[in-house]
Amino acid sequence: MENIIVNNIKKILFPPRCPGCDGLLSPGSERCFCPDCVDRVEKICDREYKKNLLCLYLYEGVMKKSMYRFKYSNRRSYIETFLEVSEKETKEFIEKNRPEVVIPVPMYPPKKRKRGYNQAEVISSAISKRFSIPEDRDLLYRSRETKALKKMTPQERTNNLKNAFKIRGNSIKWKRILLVDDIYTTGATLSASATVLLNAGAEAVFSVCICGSGRILGG
Ligand SMILES: [Zn+2]
């Protein structure tokens, strides 16, 4: 009961924003994209593209700008709308794969201090709460800074990420892991992280990303 009251007060004090255009929605309204943006956002979570991977939205148009604000301009609250709008598909993916834990793709600590937060942790916390899966932020870490992947070829991305991810301790207690990140481009980051977890004893690693680039739909 108290939670309901607190949530309603929060809704009035911090009216939700449309993640597409950052416009304020009316106080108390559900978390959603505004009528202007809803047709400009393409949900891709109901498509088949790659086993063990769920991307919620196509990384195009308004979603590109939205992800930029989510990462760099402290619009962490968008995560609730991203998950709300794709609740059904995300829930199905989780129920099918039964992960025991959710782990965010880690950021190099000095970079996180500079940026203020790691957007992948925002995603993992929200998934953890919404779907009641424990979150583990300590196990996997990034041991060194890696260069921005934007302009690299797939091979350069893989080399750049070699040995960048490590785990604390010698083995891990989780068998089925849900690894989360903001944007899926070539999959190099997720694959480097998943390899470390699998080598340490995990049996299966699944991934949820908020956005996926057009190339994953191509083949
Ligand atoms: Zn909008």
Side-chain angles (χ1 to χ4, degrees):
M1 184 64 186
E2 252 177 50
N3 270 341
I4 295 170
I5 294 168
V6 169
N7 279 339
N8 282 333
I9 292 172
K10 269 192 191 163
K11 270 187 188 168
I12 292 162
L13 292 178
F14 307 103
R17 286 175 184 272
C18 164
C21 62
D22 201 45
L24 283 170
L25 301 171
S26 55
S29 71
E30 292 307 310
R31 292 192 177 273
C32 58
F33 290 94
C34 78
D36 285 339
C37 291
V38 73
D39 293 332
R40 298 185 203 158
V41 173
E42 195 174 342
K43 262 174 82 171
I44 55 172
C45 46
D46 51 355
R47 306 229 199 135
E48 282 284 332
Y49 31 83
K50 211 168 183 298
K51 215 172 147 257
N52 297 349
L53 170 70
L54 182 75
C55 295
L56 306 182
Y57 305 95
L58 186 63
Y59 187 55
E60 277 299 334
V62 295
M63 278 311 287
K64 275 197 170 169
K65 294 178 184 159
S66 179
M67 292 310 282
Y68 186 88
R69 291 190 297 269
F70 177 62
K71 270 170 100 153
Y72 301 106
S73 304
N74 205 20
R75 287 289 189 245
R76 286 178 257 190
S77 62
Y78 288 178
I79 187 60
E80 294 304 331
T81 308
F82 294 152
L83 293 176
E84 183 79 26
V85 174
S86 303
E87 164 99 20
K88 181 176 153 274
E89 293 86 352
T90 311
K91 190 164 181 264
E92 277 171 11
F93 184 79
I94 287 171
E95 282 175 355
K96 185 177 82 186
N97 293 310
R98 294 171 285 109
E100 300 158 286
V101 67
V102 53
I103 292 183
V105 167
M107 194 179 264
Y108 187 52
K111 189 173 171 183
K112 182 178 158 183
R113 279 195 289 277
K114 204 170 148 201
R115 176 95 57 93
Y117 62 98
N118 171 3
Q119 69 279 358
E121 290 179 357
V122 175
I123 303 166
S124 66
S125 292
I127 288 182
S128 166
K129 281 199 199 97
R130 191 174 276 254
F131 300 104
S132 306
I133 311 167
E135 185 190 17
D136 188 340
R137 289 187 180 188
D138 298 320
L139 176 69
L140 184 69
Y141 69 99
R142 202 183 280 243
S143 62
R144 61 178 171 84
E145 177 61 309
T146 46
K147 290 181 203 132
L149 299 177
K150 265 183 203 161
K151 295 197 172 110
M152 292 185 191
T153 64
Q155 189 54 46
E156 286 168 336
R157 284 172 185 241
T158 307
N159 290 340
N160 179 47
L161 289 167
K162 227 173 204 172
N163 305 320
F165 297 101
K166 296 205 157 57
I167 60 152
R168 292 191 174 84
N170 298 319
S171 64
I172 59 179
K173 58 178 171 175
W174 313 111
K175 296 288 174 213
R176 304 175 71 79
I177 295 174
L178 181 66
L179 192 61
V180 302
D181 205 1
D182 54 349
I183 303 160
Y184 185 99
T185 311
T186 63
T189 308
L190 282 176
S191 137
S193 309
T195 302
V196 171
L197 295 167
L198 292 166
N199 287 342
E203 283 169 11
V205 179
F206 313 94
S207 303
V208 168
C209 293
I210 301 304
C211 279
S213 78
R215 78 171 77 183
I216 58 166
L217 300 171

